[in-house]
Amino acid sequence: MDKDKINTLINELDSQESFDYLLETMNKSKKIDFLHHWLHENLLTRHEARKYTDQSDNGIRQSILNHLLIPFFSKGEKQGKVRLFLKKDAIQYGKEKRQNVPRKPES
């Protein structure tokens, strides 16, 4: 399927019901493996995101609380809350964070 056909399909998805049907159809046809691959390659846990942001556990928690790094998906509450981040967002945030770190003056 070429990209124009995919874009047309995406533009025609105008309801949750349509999207649910698309995913159910993918699942029945075993095409869900493509989605699993994409999720595996593009979503990160908080611990995995730390590698791209070069932050401690407390540092990344603070970034999340301050809405500097925003989860792509979040579910649950308190200790059981699951947050998943897009890899591209973690990479971008890590680059921006390093650019904005104040440097100590040279002595």
Side-chain angles (χ1 to χ4, degrees), residues 57-101:
D57 198 45
N58 285 335
I60 200 160
R61 277 191 191 129
Q62 195 67 36
S63 295
I64 295 165
L65 288 173
N66 289 330
H67 304 285
L68 300 172
L69 183 60
I70 299 170
F72 173 76
F73 176 82
S74 184
K75 184 174 182 172
E77 295 181 23
K78 299 185 182 182
Q79 297 268 323
K81 190 167 202 166
V82 173
R83 290 184 179 120
L84 297 175
F85 302 87
L86 285 172
K87 184 189 285 186
K88 67 179 181 111
D89 291 348
I91 292 169
Q92 183 64 35
Y93 176 67
K95 287 178 184 177
E96 290 171 3
K97 185 182 74 65
R98 285 187 285 282
Q99 289 174 353
N100 294 326
V101 172

Side-chain angles (χ1 to χ4, degrees), residues 12-28:
E12 290 177 4
L13 289 173
D14 58 356
S15 69
Q16 186 65 50
E17 183 180 344
S18 297
F19 192 76
D20 291 346
Y21 178 76
L22 173 65
L23 290 177
E24 287 172 18
T25 304
M26 285 178 63
N27 193 27
K28 288 176 186 173

Side-chain angles (χ1 to χ4, degrees), residues 11-60:
N11 289 332
E12 290 177 4
L13 289 173
D14 58 356
S15 69
Q16 186 65 50
E17 183 180 344
S18 297
F19 192 76
D20 291 346
Y21 178 76
L22 173 65
L23 290 177
E24 287 172 18
T25 304
M26 285 178 63
N27 193 27
K28 288 176 186 173
S29 69
K30 306 297 183 203
K31 302 275 189 215
I32 203 75
D33 291 344
F34 295 129
L35 178 59
H36 287 166
H37 176 76
W38 187 90
L39 295 170
H40 181 69
E41 294 296 316
N42 292 283
L43 294 181
L44 305 171
T45 63
R46 185 181 72 205
H47 181 74
E48 292 168 327
R50 286 178 48 206
K51 296 173 189 171
Y52 295 94
T53 63
D54 194 29
Q55 290 179 291
S56 66
D57 198 45
N58 285 335
I60 200 160

